[in-house]
Amino acid sequence: QIKMSNIKKFRIKSFKNHDIILKLDKISLKYGKRLILDNLTLELNNGQIMGLLGPNGVGKTTIFNIITGLVSPDFGSIFINSEDVKKYPIYKRALKYKIGFVPQHGGYFHNMTVNDNLKAIAEIVIEDKNLRIEKINSLISKFELDPIRDIRANNLSGGQKKKLVISLALLSDPKILLLDEPFAALDVMTIKILQDIIVSLQSFNNISIILCDHQARDLLRCVDSAAIIHNGRVVAQDTPSNLINDVVARNTYFGESFKIN
């Protein structure tokens, strides 16, 4: 019996069909002759944390780019709240459907302080000045950024940068948050703090989250459901404890000896 870590204390195992907030339907994409995504279908339920796992170059970041509108698929549809969003450009899609994106690298103004980074983005996404100040202060408090408020983003540690970028994404009150490799190049303690933050966003802000990461153990500790992407499609999807015992998942991704703890 493989024990799950205690970070995610509850897992939402079943969702009603009408709870689907985001659906990628039969998505295919080629770069030149290389098939990246092959008839891929993926559903994210309202309030769910979903993880995407797969080897390098399998198309996990491409999936995020398709959701945000940075890349258009050759075939297939993207539905948010049952509405086909393919016709909307990036900025309209982000605003209308409240999509937040945390890239693996960057995502902040390097030479500006933490506070000025938050102010710069808040001025774009929050009209009311008082609300802007209130939101910035509440995020600084939530992410414990106060001691580094006046430090330039360039001089922050990896974990502090990641907290800053997540807080920048939260300024616009997203309903869907995409996290691209949030645990990459972070130490064990910082990863645990980030996992707690991700789970708290689900519990307290009712945000639906998709994250992809190569750190399979770290990802599986904070998701409700995870999908293995292989050869451009979803080959297995389940709760973490079921997925690591799934034959296809073991053969295509985890290998025989993988354990969570």
Side-chain angles (χ1 to χ4, degrees):
Q1 183 59 32
I2 299 163
K3 290 198 182 95
M4 297 299 297
S5 153
N6 62 357
I7 287 183
K8 187 90 171 79
K9 292 190 173 58
F10 64 95
R11 282 173 212 280
I12 306 171
K13 293 203 170 68
S14 62
F15 289 85
K16 300 186 192 77
N17 284 340
H18 64 261
D19 271 352
I20 295 167
I21 188 169
L22 168 71
K23 179 175 183 175
L24 299 183
D25 192 31
K26 301 185 178 73
I27 297 282
S28 292
L29 177 74
K30 263 185 178 172
Y31 286 146
K33 290 191 173 158
R34 188 165 163 245
L35 189 62
I36 307 291
L37 300 175
D38 179 18
N39 206 28
L40 175 135
T41 294
L42 191 69
E43 293 176 351
L44 174 70
N45 291 302
N46 195 12
Q48 182 181 39
I49 303 179
M50 179 194 283
L52 301 181
L53 288 168
N56 241 337
V58 80
K60 300 184 299 294
T61 300
T62 304
I63 289 170
F64 283 173
N65 290 340
I66 283 171
I67 294 167
T68 57
L70 197 59
V71 170
S72 284
D74 300 326
F75 300 101
S77 306
I78 305 121
F79 295 100
I80 300 178
N81 296 331
S82 306
E83 194 177 340
D84 194 337
V85 304
K86 246 183 12 185
K87 61 180 183 284
Y88 292 109
I90 299 176
Y91 72 97
K92 265 217 172 108
R93 209 181 282 190
L95 286 171
K96 185 176 166 69
Y97 298 100
K98 293 193 159 295
I99 302 170
F101 179 49
V102 176
Q104 182 184 351
H105 303 292
Y108 55 87
F109 300 107
H110 293 249
N111 288 325
M112 285 164 61
T113 65
V114 166
N115 199 55
D116 287 344
N117 262 280
L118 286 159
K119 271 170 72 175
I121 300 301
E123 280 170 16
I124 298 167
V125 299
I126 304 170
E127 282 182 29
D128 182 318
K129 194 179 173 190
N130 292 333
L131 186 61
R132 214 181 285 158
I133 294 164
E134 194 182 304
K135 195 79 206 258
I136 288 171
N137 288 334
S138 95
L139 285 166
I140 281 176
S141 153
K142 182 181 177 71
F143 289 95
E144 297 174 350
L145 299 171
D146 207 39
I148 54 166
R149 193 177 192 135
D150 298 317
I151 291 178
R152 286 185 177 189
N154 251 358
N155 300 329
L156 303 178
S157 70
Q160 290 168 335
K161 283 175 183 166
K162 199 56 81 178
K163 282 176 166 187
L164 171 61
V165 184
I166 293 174
S167 56
L168 292 174
L170 293 178
L171 279 167
S172 55
D173 282 329
K175 293 306 293 168
I176 298 169
L177 186 63
L178 309 174
L179 298 164
D180 194 1
E181 306 246 354
F183 307 128
L186 296 180
D187 62 89
V188 175
M189 269 313 296
T190 306
I191 287 172
K192 179 162 182 347
I193 290 164
L194 260 190
Q195 288 168 325
D196 287 333
I197 284 170
I198 289 166
V199 173
S200 82
L201 292 177
Q202 177 194 37
S203 333
F204 300 109
N205 301 61
N206 192 32
I207 298 177
S208 310
I209 298 167
I210 305 183
L211 62 148
C212 72
D213 211 285
H214 287 297
Q215 317 287 349
R217 281 180 189 80
D218 295 324
L219 178 140
L220 290 171
R221 284 184 183 131
C222 64
V223 300
D224 297 304
S225 160
I228 308 283
I229 317 283
H230 182 71
N231 288 341
R233 48 176 64 199
V234 176
V235 293
Q237 184 173 357
D238 212 324
T239 59
S241 45
N242 289 345
L243 192 68
I244 53 179
N245 295 311
D246 180 282
V247 176
V248 177
R250 281 190 170 271
N251 288 344
T252 56
Y253 184 69
F254 292 122
E256 277 312 308
S257 59
F258 181 85
K259 288 184 172 57
I260 285 195
N261 291 329

